[in-house]
Amino acid sequence: MLEVEGLEVSYRGNCAVDGISLSIAAGEVVALIGANGAGKSSVLKALMGLVPAASKRLDLDGSPIAGLPTRRRIQGGLALSPEGRAVFPRMSVDENLSLGRPGGGHEEDRNAIRRMFPRLSERATQAAGTLSGGEQQMLAIGRALMARPRLLLLDEPTLGLAPVIVQEIGRIIDEVRAAGTAVLVAEQNALAALGWANRAYVLTNGSVTMQGDAADLIDNEEVRRAYLGV
Amino acid sequence: MQWKIRMLLAQQIVNGLSIGLNYALIALGLTLVFGVLHVINFGHGQVVMIGALAALYAAELLNLPYVLTLPVAAAAAGLLGVVLHLAAVRPVVRRRDGHQDVLLTTFAAGLLIHEAVLASRGPAPARFDGIPGVLHVGPLMLTNQRLFIIIVAGLTLLALLYLIRMTRFGNELRALAENEFAARAVGIDTGKVILVTFAMSAAIGGLGGALLAPLSAFSPNIGQGALMTAFVIVVAAGLGSVWGTVAFAALYGILESVLSLTFDQGMASATVSGLMLLILIARPNGLFGKA
Ligand SMILES: Nc1ncnc2c1ncn2[C@@H]1O[C@H](COP(=O)(O)OP(=O)(O)OP(=O)(O)O)[C@@H](O)[C@H]1O
Ligand SMILES: [Mg+2]
């Protein structure tokens, strides 16, 4: 459903993403792994239209989305849960959720999110900034899901979270996929991400250096040494 | 306390509330723009002046009754706000150090507006009639204009607070104020929100100018004073705090009025500003700002 060729992102002349290509099929979970500064967030931001980018091809369901504003891409089926949660701290959980969908959230979607994240539903009127780190991450994911994406982009969802919460995020990704939504997850935590994903890309200094089935990459010597610390 | 003094005090509190709500209209323009852009719009005072001037012309040239000149004031000022944004803010704010530049460009745009008005009609003040008459409530005496200010400013503030807290636009505005990147990530058209915020801030500022002018007279120089008062209020209240701005503006107006019983007007304003400075020393983020 997503086809990317020759994607480039640079900041004031410094190249952060150097002509990468990737593709994601409907209902697939794909991991984008790499070290600090490898360019993972830049890729996701470029897909959302949040940073200036160039590409040979950037198609969602066969139609080009390059140059479209973020809102149109969200309407086209993309949604991002940004790195570092990035919730609206002084707004309530419910207000955060309703902002997830351009033009306003629907009650039935909000109810679906509440069923998926019972802890958020208990805190509907609480200010988002008072939630725990794990809860804020759930809220950021829930907010993205409010847009009913067909491809959910998750940027570093496990950052700074306890192992139980990391497992919880795995459960959510499974649930999202089961509902038919594809997921592209950028992670430094390669072990977790490869555990969730069908396929993965390894990003090094802005280039894809390896790609393949997640199960194969977990066993790959180089990946194990560089990203799994074994 | 003597009965007479108590009455005088009560009267000054009501007068102060009236002028305080008027200050709130003007100061909120600074607060809202600061919220979405994190810059102080130093052209705001001249927008307020243009609002008053537009009302004056609408009365003089079109023979409109005072009440109907108010929408004209808001519309003219709102339009000027849009122009100010397109000409002095948008082209520079995204540049490196753009936020500092905006202080200068908005200040310069304000000067330009001020000079243009001085050039076209001179510095002489003009009589500006508001709602005539005086209301006696027991021993209290309230001019109808001040009463009218309480009603119009009060209703406008309520409408504005409703807009900010309860509507989609308000949610988008607050989201942008809290986290610009996240706001863009959820698809908010931040450019549009900023433009509308500018227009709205200018419109209520212009309305504030047209409500305030009848209390003295119209002068091309009312903008500077309005900007200074609004600036002191928003800084002391904690930049970006909407409720803080309203509460502080009311407090400022009341203190100023009460102090004017013993000091002259200028001394009263200076004293209130001094008090605000003390607040800032005690609480550098303002009384209502995050500690
Ligand atoms: N707004 C920006 N301005 C300038 N340089 C940037 C900007 N954002 C990212 N970069 C640079 O681009 C490169 C890639 O950054 P990016 O955030 O995409 O990496 P990442 O893989 O997400 O890293 P992390 O795992 O730390 O989140 C880095 O060298 C970073 O310093
Ligand atoms: Mg990143």
Side-chain angles (χ1 to χ4, degrees):
Chain A
M1 65 181 304
L2 182 76
E3 293 291 338
V4 182
E5 267 174 47
L7 180 69
E8 286 177 18
V9 180
S10 39
Y11 302 101
R12 297 184 208 280
N14 295 325
C15 180
V17 177
D18 194 6
I20 70 158
S21 298
L22 49 91
S23 68
I24 296 165
E28 207 180 15
V29 176
V30 176
L32 188 59
I33 59 179
N36 277 126
K40 306 179 294 294
S41 299
S42 300
V43 170
L44 299 195
K45 289 177 192 170
L47 296 179
M48 291 302 291
L50 294 166
V51 291
S55 56
K56 294 201 188 79
R57 181 169 173 211
L58 185 55
D59 290 356
L60 185 63
D61 295 323
S63 19
I65 58 167
L68 290 185
T70 305
R71 184 172 28 97
R72 295 280 300 282
R73 301 187 195 209
I74 294 174
Q75 285 159 349
L78 292 180
L80 169 70
S81 162
E83 185 173 27
R85 289 39 118 188
V87 297
F88 302 112
R90 291 195 283 167
M91 301 178 78
S92 72
V93 166
D94 267 358
E95 284 172 331
N96 268 272
L97 287 179
S98 72
L99 282 165
R101 189 181 177 86
H106 295 295
E107 196 49 43
E108 70 227 63
D109 293 330
R110 204 174 348 206
N111 288 335
I113 303 295
R114 285 179 174 160
R115 275 194 300 279
M116 199 164 183
F117 306 99
R119 287 163 71 91
L120 290 185
S121 133
E122 291 159 23
R123 292 167 172 73
T125 57
Q126 194 174 321
T130 64
L131 298 177
S132 74
E135 288 160 356
Q136 289 188 19
Q137 183 59 58
M138 301 300 166
L139 179 56
I141 297 174
R143 187 179 63 192
L145 288 172
M146 282 295 284
R148 294 194 178 185
R150 284 170 302 111
L151 171 57
L152 174 66
L153 310 178
L154 298 178
D155 196 354
E156 219 92 58
T158 72
L159 197 70
L161 299 182
V164 266
I165 313 280
V166 174
Q167 270 180 22
E168 176 82 358
I169 288 169
R171 172 190 70 81
I172 289 158
I173 291 177
D174 282 343
E175 234 176 278
V176 168
R177 171 186 19 209
T181 298
V183 180
L184 174 61
V185 53
E187 263 297 347
Q188 282 189 56
N189 183 346
L191 188 61
L194 290 173
W196 303 326
N198 306 99
R199 288 189 306 116
Y201 295 87
V202 178
L203 203 57
T204 315
N205 285 329
S207 301
V208 171
T209 47
M210 266 183 280
Q211 64 185 80
D213 284 343
D216 295 340
L217 286 173
I218 284 189
D219 294 330
N220 182 294
E221 262 312 307
E222 228 174 298
V223 172
R224 291 175 73 85
R225 215 171 330 109
Y227 300 104
L228 302 179
V230 286
Chain B
M1 219 188 295
Q2 271 178 315
W3 183 79
K4 204 177 148 207
I5 295 183
R6 242 182 290 163
M7 279 305 120
L8 213 55
L9 205 58
Q11 172 155 334
Q12 285 310 85
I13 288 174
V14 179
N15 280 339
L17 178 69
S18 169
I19 204 154
L21 290 180
N22 203 328
Y23 288 158
L25 281 185
I26 296 170
L28 264 184
L30 287 188
T31 298
L32 292 177
V33 166
F34 184 85
V36 294
L37 267 183
H38 300 282
V39 296
I40 291 286
N41 171 10
F42 277 116
H44 192 57
Q46 302 309 329
V47 173
V48 171
M49 184 270 288
I50 290 293
L53 183 64
L56 185 67
Y57 280 149
E60 281 177 358
L61 305 177
L62 305 175
N63 264 322
L64 286 182
Y66 174 63
V67 174
L68 292 185
T69 66
L70 297 179
V72 175
L79 205 65
L80 183 62
V82 171
V83 172
L84 198 66
H85 176 248
L86 295 180
V89 178
R90 191 141 92 181
V92 291
V93 71
R94 297 273 169 246
R95 293 195 317 216
R96 189 199 296 249
D97 296 327
H99 284 70
Q100 276 103 297
D101 295 347
V102 167
L103 303 179
L104 294 176
T105 54
T106 54
F107 186 71
L111 276 183
L112 212 64
I113 296 166
H114 185 220
E115 291 299 331
V117 171
L118 281 177
S120 74
R121 51 171 294 133
R127 190 179 149 163
F128 194 119
D129 291 323
I131 308 278
V134 177
L135 185 75
H136 292 272
V137 185
L140 291 189
M141 201 183 75
L142 191 64
T143 66
N144 284 342
Q145 177 65 20
R146 288 185 186 265
L147 190 66
F148 184 69
I149 291 176
I150 293 181
I151 294 167
V152 174
L155 288 178
T156 308
L157 290 173
L158 283 179
L160 209 62
L161 290 172
Y162 176 83
L163 181 83
I164 293 168
R165 308 245 31 127
M166 310 299 268
T167 66
R168 178 73 190 178
F169 174 77
N171 277 350
E172 293 190 348
L173 186 153
R174 284 187 293 144
L176 172 57
E178 292 192 11
N179 189 330
E180 196 225 340
F181 175 75
R184 293 203 298 127
V186 297
I188 292 171
D189 185 343
T190 55
K192 194 180 89 186
V193 173
I194 291 170
L195 182 67
V196 173
T197 303
F198 250 87
M200 201 168 72
S201 301
I204 56 170
L207 176 65
L211 286 173
L212 198 57
L215 296 186
S216 47
F218 172 81
S219 146
N221 300 328
I222 57 175
Q224 288 94 312
L227 178 68
M228 276 322 296
T229 306
F231 184 67
V232 168
I233 289 169
V234 297
V235 172
L239 278 167
S241 160
V242 169
W243 278 109
T245 301
V246 174
F248 234 90
L251 191 68
Y252 188 109
I254 290 171
L255 278 177
E256 193 184 55
S257 283
V258 169
L259 287 176
S260 73
L261 282 174
T262 46
F263 303 131
D264 67 40
Q265 178 73 31
M267 191 60 200
S269 304
T271 309
V272 178
S273 295
L275 279 177
M276 304 263 162
L277 193 66
L278 286 181
I279 289 171
L280 273 189
I281 292 170
R283 293 197 45 135
N285 291 314
L287 203 56
F288 296 82
K290 280 163 288 179

